[in-house]
Amino acid sequence: MFGDILRFLLEITFTLFGAALIARAWTHAVRLHPFNPLARGIYQVTNWLVLPLRKLVPAGHSVDWTSLLAAWLVALLYLVLIWLLAVGSLIPAAMLPKALASSLLMVVKWALNLIVWLTLLQAVLSWINPMSPLMALLQTLTAPMLDPIRRILPRGAAIDFSPLVLLILAQITLMMLARLTYGLLGV
């Protein structure tokens, strides 16, 4: 029972921190103003890891490689800790390439979960309070994914089905990633 509780706490902690690192890279990509309260909060939570790494890997013009590298390192540490908790020893050297690939898949999984939650929040908020100040931020963050879907879907309906399509695509991809990740390390 203690192992299950510890595994749950590790998963929550690492998922939230990994999502914050991905959100940092995402805010960089959509050019969210650094003084935005959300961006400032994300920077405060992640600066302790990202700023030292930035000396080794600079952020690109449109992609924050430093934050993505930090998310990958956090995912790798998470997998090592989960393996240590389950098996009682470190990951064998022969399985290290699988662990590296699995941690990359974990980062993609965290990004997809972030997409799901932001899209759900935007959809619910658009029904409850479309004039909320949070709506502009959510639209800025989700527009790069929703706009291509909106171009494909037929126009004319009063309801925007693009969030539903994005949620379905993200969930299908999450299911495929879960199978791949489990197949690599069994985690």
Side-chain angles (χ1 to χ4, degrees):
M1 183 165 132
F2 176 73
D4 292 336
I5 293 170
L6 189 55
R7 182 182 172 112
F8 170 74
L9 292 174
L10 282 173
E11 184 174 350
I12 291 293
T13 303
F14 279 85
T15 299
L16 288 175
F17 189 64
L21 289 165
I22 293 166
R24 182 181 179 125
W26 198 338
T27 59
H28 179 85
V30 297
R31 307 259 190 270
L32 193 63
H33 197 280
F35 292 120
N36 179 290
L38 175 69
R40 288 176 53 143
I42 290 170
Y43 293 157
Q44 288 176 349
V45 169
T46 58
N47 272 345
W48 69 270
L49 179 60
V50 173
L51 293 182
L53 283 175
R54 190 148 287 156
K55 295 174 185 171
L56 301 172
V57 178
H61 179 66
S62 59
V63 178
D64 185 359
W65 294 110
T66 314
S67 296
L68 294 177
L69 173 65
W72 179 69
L73 291 173
V74 165
L76 183 61
L77 178 61
Y78 168 72
L79 289 176
V80 167
L81 290 174
I82 291 295
W83 182 275
L84 185 63
L85 186 64
V87 178
S89 66
L90 290 176
I91 296 175
M95 292 191 69
L96 193 58
K98 288 183 178 183
L100 296 174
S102 188
S103 59
L104 184 61
L105 293 175
M106 183 72 62
V107 171
V108 174
K109 180 181 161 187
W110 290 340
L112 288 168
N113 278 322
L114 193 59
I115 289 168
V116 166
W117 284 106
L118 289 174
T119 306
L120 276 174
L121 184 61
Q122 180 184 357
V124 169
L125 197 58
S126 72
W127 296 331
I128 295 172
N129 185 6
M131 301 309 287
S132 169
L134 190 57
M135 278 301 289
L137 174 66
L138 291 170
Q139 287 172 344
T140 300
L141 292 173
T142 59
M145 292 153 302
L146 291 175
D147 288 346
I149 297 170
R150 286 181 179 133
R151 284 191 288 272
I152 295 170
L153 289 178
R155 299 239 181 217
I159 299 174
D160 181 13
F161 287 106
S162 60
L164 179 63
V165 172
L166 180 61
L167 288 172
I168 291 170
L169 292 173
Q171 282 301 123
I172 290 170
T173 308
L174 277 169
M175 285 188 271
M176 294 179 347
L177 282 176
R179 174 85 44 136
L180 277 172
T181 304
Y182 187 77
L184 284 173
L185 279 180
V187 177

